[in-house]
Structure formats: C-alpha cells, structure tokens
Amino acid sequence: MSTSRIYMDWNATAPLLAEARDACLSALDLVGNPSSVHGEGRTIRTLIENARRDVGALCGAKAASVIFTSGATEAANMVLTPDFRMGRTPLKIGRLYASAIEHPALREGGRFARENVSEIPVTTAGVVDLEALRALLDTHDRESGLPMVAVMLVNNETGIIQPISEIAAIVRTHGGILLVDAVQAAGRLPLSIEELGADFLIISSHKIGGPKGAGALVARGEIMMPAPLIRGGGQEKGHRSGTENAVAIAGFAAAARKAADNLDDRMASVAALRDRLEQDMQTSAPDVVIHGRDVSRVGNTIFFTLPGMKAETGQIAFDLEGVALSAGSACSSGKVGQSHVLTAMGYDPRQGALRISIGPATTEAEIERCAAVFAKVAARRRTTGQAA
C-alpha cells in the first residue's frame, strides 16, 4: 500500500481553498447575530450581503436573488415544491419532470408527492432526450398547475453537459418552470442564469473549494418564489429561516470569487491534464470504456468502465495504491451501488464504472502517478480476472 496519496475525487468535494479557509477564520473572530441592529450585528450582516453579491456574480444573478442554505440538498428540497407564490398570489405547480440522471437530491422529488414526479429519459450518450421532454410536456395536465422541469447542467458522474438552453426553450413554450442543478458546473463553466434561461439554479460551496455546510438557491427574479421549507424567524427575506451560518457563507463567497477568476484558462489547463490521462489509460487498456467521450463534457471528469472489473473492487484497488477516486456519486452515505446514470444510458449497471475528477491544483506528476496505477490495476485484472 502506497504511503503517498493523490486526490482525484473533486466532484465529491473540492479541497478547501486557502482563501476560503482564511475567510472562515476571519469570520470566526466576529461577534454578533446578523439580525441584530447594533454595530456587531451590522458587521456580520455586511459580511453576508457582500457574500450574497459574490455568489450572485458567479451565477450572473443579482445579489437579491441569492438565498443561502445549508447546502445544495436543502436548496433542492426548498425549490422542489408544488406551492409557489407570484408576489402575494399563490401559484400551483402540478407536476415535476426530472431527468433520469439527476442527483438523488432532485430525483427524490422534494416536497412533490411521488405520483406527481415523472422521469425524463436520456439518450445512450447520456444527454436529455429533447423529443421525450417535449412529448411529456405536451401531455401535461394544465389544470393541475404549471409543469416544473429539473435538469442538471453537468452530470456529477459522467461530466456530460446538458443542452440547457434548448431545454429552456421547450419549457418556456409549455409555460413551465426550469430548475437547473449547477453544482458541478460552478467554477468549471461560465454561469449565467439569464443566458441559460433557467428560473432557478442550485450551487454548493464545497464543490468549488469552499467549506461544507453552505449552498444557495439562486432565482432569476424575486417575484416567483417557492413556499419556505424552513419557517421561523424570517431570515433570508422569509424564504429560509434560521440564523445564517456567517462562517461558512464567508468561505463560500471567497471560493465563489476564486471560481470566477480566470475561469477559461484555468479549466483549459485542467482539460489538458484530463485528456492526457485518458490517452494514457487507453494506451495501457485499449478496451477501457470512457463514458460520454463523444459528447460535450466538462473538462475535469473521466467516468470509465474496465470490462470484467466491478466498481467496488476497482475503487478498493486504486485506494490501496494511494489514489482516491469514486464509484459514481459520493452523496449516498458512502454506499457503492449500481449507477442509476449508467442504467438510464442503457448500460448494464452491474458492470460498474469509476470516476476520476480533477481540479486546478492537480499536477502533472499526479496525472502520471494515476496513469501508472491505472495500468497496474488494468494489468492485474487481465492476469487474475479482477482487480484485487
């Protein structure tokens, strides 16, 4: 077992940025409740409002449209509800349409009854089937309320980028509401809620190098909003009660500022490393299947299958060699199970797949080391019939 480890699981959580850590430590020294009107409270309030501006800027949204939450899962459960308001007027959402490859936080349907959640199929390439979406919305019962469509911009397992602008056009034609899970896109793709045509975005602090325990629901405007999930003292303009976590929010804002800085050049460098690793993988194991390689993907992700190797066996093999990677999503209590994404794409999920995800701090030496470990694991599979 190697004593020198490398981290290749950025889609699960990104390493904490120094800037975010410093911002958290500075916020820890502040005293006061952001809802208090005295000087100490106003200082904390200023920190939070500045953070709201920075997170909004990352999404191309106004600061006033950012609602801080404890994370992306809470944000999803907040917005996934049949009960909305348009100003002071109740607005009913009749059915949720979520793609078959969504994160469990969205696939579970939030506050919608299970019978009011429909699945949008994807193609074998892992892209939302636009004609299927159009057919589903064509048959939507308008008397039940408006349709809501939930689609992720970047899939957390495959890294495949979904055609959100085209999806938005279909949703608009049918008078629906579009929720976009931008958790894996933030800091990796330019984000603009207006250009995407989304009504709501969800983002997470720890996916962009901020601390865990903070996220945001970002709205296109301030008029159409979901009924609160958490009620109480009326914080976040009544949308999410509970004293704001100023420490985590401060770190979130610092990460958001860093994520927006020099984005194109930074991700071009990441993509070059990813491509180099894929080439090395195919050289050492020509039968490796890299899912989504023929469609548009974010530049940091490799989702691959080695025929004859189970996902859990492969994950253990890499871990013993000092490489941290995932067997799909890491947001299911540490479970290594069959991938619902592979199933939706028409693959036999029993074959399993592993995910390598890298980031701006990944080095060439780490790519070389990962390639060497991959070659070792693949060769052992050929020798023994599995990775051990």
Side-chain angles (χ1 to χ4, degrees):
M1 180 174 181
S2 174
T3 58
S4 175
R5 296 189 60 81
I6 58 175
Y7 187 71
M8 311 293 264
D9 200 16
W10 285 62
N11 285 10
T13 192
L16 185 67
L17 290 166
E19 294 88 343
R21 181 178 182 275
D22 290 345
C24 290
L25 291 174
S26 295
L28 279 168
D29 289 332
L30 298 177
V31 178
N33 187 308
S35 296
S36 298
V37 297
H38 49 59
E40 287 81 358
R42 293 197 304 274
T43 297
I44 298 285
R45 173 54 55 194
T46 298
L47 180 153
I48 291 172
E49 296 311 316
N50 287 342
R52 202 182 307 279
R53 176 200 63 206
D54 293 334
V55 172
L58 179 63
C59 302
K62 297 177 181 178
S65 299
V66 175
I67 302 166
F68 286 120
T69 65
S70 64
T73 295
E74 184 195 324
N77 279 271
M78 176 183 175
V79 71
L80 293 176
T81 175
D83 298 316
F84 270 68
R85 297 192 74 85
M86 182 70 77
R88 296 184 178 181
T89 304
L91 182 66
K92 186 71 173 177
I93 311 301
R95 179 169 288 273
L96 170 66
Y97 301 87
S99 88
I101 57 172
E102 292 305 299
H103 187 279
L106 281 79
R107 290 181 74 228
E108 288 298 315
R111 290 182 275 174
F112 282 92
R114 291 301 303 173
E115 60 267 24
N116 291 328
V117 179
S118 295
E119 186 174 272
I120 310 166
V122 299
T123 67
T124 56
V127 178
V128 168
D129 187 327
L130 299 180
E131 291 307 312
L133 170 60
R134 186 175 286 109
L136 283 168
L137 295 182
D138 282 344
T139 59
H140 174 76
D141 179 10
R142 297 285 299 183
E143 292 185 2
S144 69
L146 300 179
M148 174 183 281
V149 174
V151 179
M152 50 180 32
L153 177 50
V154 172
N155 183 261
N156 53 309
E157 294 190 18
T158 63
I160 292 171
I161 300 170
Q162 300 299 320
I164 297 298
S165 295
E166 295 173 65
I167 292 169
I170 295 171
V171 174
R172 278 197 305 271
T173 299
H174 291 82
I177 295 172
L178 177 60
L179 166 65
V180 173
D181 175 356
V183 167
Q184 296 293 342
R188 294 170 186 152
L189 295 175
L191 278 183
S192 169
I193 192 168
E194 290 286 342
E195 292 181 9
L196 288 171
D199 295 293
F200 296 94
L201 296 181
I202 295 171
I203 59 173
S204 173
S205 168
H206 76 98
K207 302 294 188 179
I208 61 172
K212 300 172 183 67
L217 176 66
V218 182
R220 194 172 188 178
E222 298 179 71
I223 298 177
M224 182 179 66
M225 296 299 295
L229 175 66
I230 300 176
R231 300 176 186 271
Q235 289 85 353
E236 296 296 292
K237 296 183 180 179
H239 299 302
R240 196 274 186 184
S241 291
T243 300
E244 293 95 339
N245 183 352
V247 173
I249 288 171
F252 187 8
R257 292 192 296 272
K258 183 75 172 180
D261 183 42
N262 198 29
L263 173 62
D264 291 342
D265 290 343
R266 186 175 71 249
M267 284 308 298
S269 297
V270 170
L273 290 176
R274 190 274 309 272
D275 292 346
R276 175 182 169 185
L277 178 55
E278 286 188 347
Q279 290 173 358
D280 289 344
M281 290 167 62
Q282 289 197 304
T283 297
S284 57
D287 61 338
V288 65
V289 178
I290 298 176
H291 301 286
R293 196 173 190 184
D294 295 329
V295 294
S296 182
R297 287 182 298 159
V298 73
N300 80 315
T301 303
I302 305 172
F303 192 50
F304 68 94
T305 293
L306 272 172
M309 185 181 72
K310 294 181 179 180
E312 58 268 32
T313 305
Q315 186 173 19
I316 293 169
F318 276 92
D319 190 45
L320 290 174
E321 293 292 339
V323 178
L325 48 69
S326 282
S329 173
C331 300
S332 302
S333 301
K335 295 179 290 186
V336 179
Q338 295 182 351
S339 168
H340 73 278
V341 175
L342 282 180
T343 300
M345 292 168 65
Y347 290 93
D348 181 351
R350 292 174 298 178
Q351 68 182 341
L354 296 173
R355 182 187 68 194
I356 294 171
S357 51
I358 63 176
T362 303
T363 65
E364 291 187 8
E366 289 174 330
I367 293 296
E368 292 174 1
R369 168 79 184 285
C370 186
V373 170
F374 174 87
K376 184 176 181 180
V377 170
R380 191 182 305 159
R381 168 199 57 137
R382 290 192 292 273
T383 299
T384 65
Q386 65 174 3

